Amino acid sequence: MKSYGQYCGLARAAELVGERWSLVILRDLLVGPKRFNELRQGIPGIPSNLLTNRLRDFEDASVVERVLDGRNVVYRLSEYGQGLEPIVVGLGRWGARQMDVPRENEVPTDNSLAAALLTARTDEKVQAFSVEVTAGPATAHADVSATAVSVATGPFPDADLRLGGSSLRRLLADGDIDAAISSGAVTAKGPATLLKEFTRAFSTPLDEVSHNLPLLQSVNAGNGW
């Protein structure tokens, strides 16, 4: 881990989280504890030795800890590391402001989709419900309480609401569920009242510079959400 040589909180933080892949690793651990192979398989393209080095740096800095889960060793955020949640969520929300259709070779993962739900939770007080979301190869779900949300990867068979399609990103931006469904950009299974609650519970605005593509172009983008 390289040092900036400055006695500065921001510089110290950048030393920990500014290296390549670091924030993505932390994002996935924010969704939940994981075994090494779960982390490696969930982050396409990361070399195993680099993942090992990043995790060692995080452990040395008391950001991540290894614990036993039954017979398995898992990595999880420490109490100190959990303090990164509002920072990671805020960065994700900031980055998504100019993230419309996916760039070439970009695909969502189960963890990135779960993190997107965590990032998109608004301050609105809503009816409690559970939702399963599928976008391209990725599936995640969320339990939404009146004022909060908990997220996890994978399907949730008992979800109250199921959403899918390649234009979920646009739906989170404009909240126009009727247009999204009527165009075929988003598929939904569940009560209409919960669709409205979903658009109140989750929102990630797009800046005007990116919010300039028609809905169906977003549909044709392929693997995005």
Side-chain angles (χ1 to χ4, degrees), residues 165-215:
S166 57
S167 195
L168 291 167
R169 174 68 191 96
R170 184 55 59 85
L171 175 62
L172 290 174
D174 61 26
D176 194 342
I177 189 68
D178 294 332
I181 291 178
S182 63
S183 70
V186 171
T187 60
K189 183 178 181 181
T193 55
L194 291 187
L195 290 174
K196 296 295 185 182
E197 291 299 279
F198 179 87
T199 60
R200 293 179 60 233
F202 297 99
S203 175
T204 311
L206 273 170
D207 285 353
E208 289 298 323
V209 68
S210 291
H211 202 177
N212 56 8
L213 296 176
L215 185 61

Side-chain angles (χ1 to χ4, degrees), residues 1-78:
M1 184 170 58
K2 296 179 180 179
S3 171
Y4 289 100
Q6 297 184 23
Y7 188 65
C8 165
L10 181 61
R12 193 71 61 86
E15 291 171 6
L16 285 173
V17 304
E19 298 282 356
R20 189 168 187 240
W21 296 109
S22 291
L23 283 170
V24 175
I25 296 168
L26 292 170
R27 177 204 67 193
D28 284 13
L29 290 176
L30 188 61
V31 173
K34 290 175 177 60
R35 300 192 300 271
F36 181 89
N37 282 338
E38 289 175 326
L39 281 168
R40 182 175 56 82
Q41 293 167 9
I43 307 176
I46 189 169
S48 294
N49 63 331
L50 191 149
L51 176 58
T52 298
N53 291 338
R54 293 289 180 270
L55 289 171
R56 183 184 299 119
D57 289 342
F58 289 149
E59 284 189 86
D60 290 345
S62 300
V63 172
V64 166
E65 56 192 14
R66 279 184 292 177
V67 296
L68 279 175
D69 181 15
R71 296 183 177 181
N72 298 311
V73 174
V74 299
Y75 292 86
R76 70 181 184 190
L77 294 177
S78 65

Side-chain angles (χ1 to χ4, degrees), residues 86-98:
I87 300 165
V88 174
V89 167
L91 278 172
R93 194 171 184 84
W94 178 75
R97 282 172 48 186
Q98 297 194 17

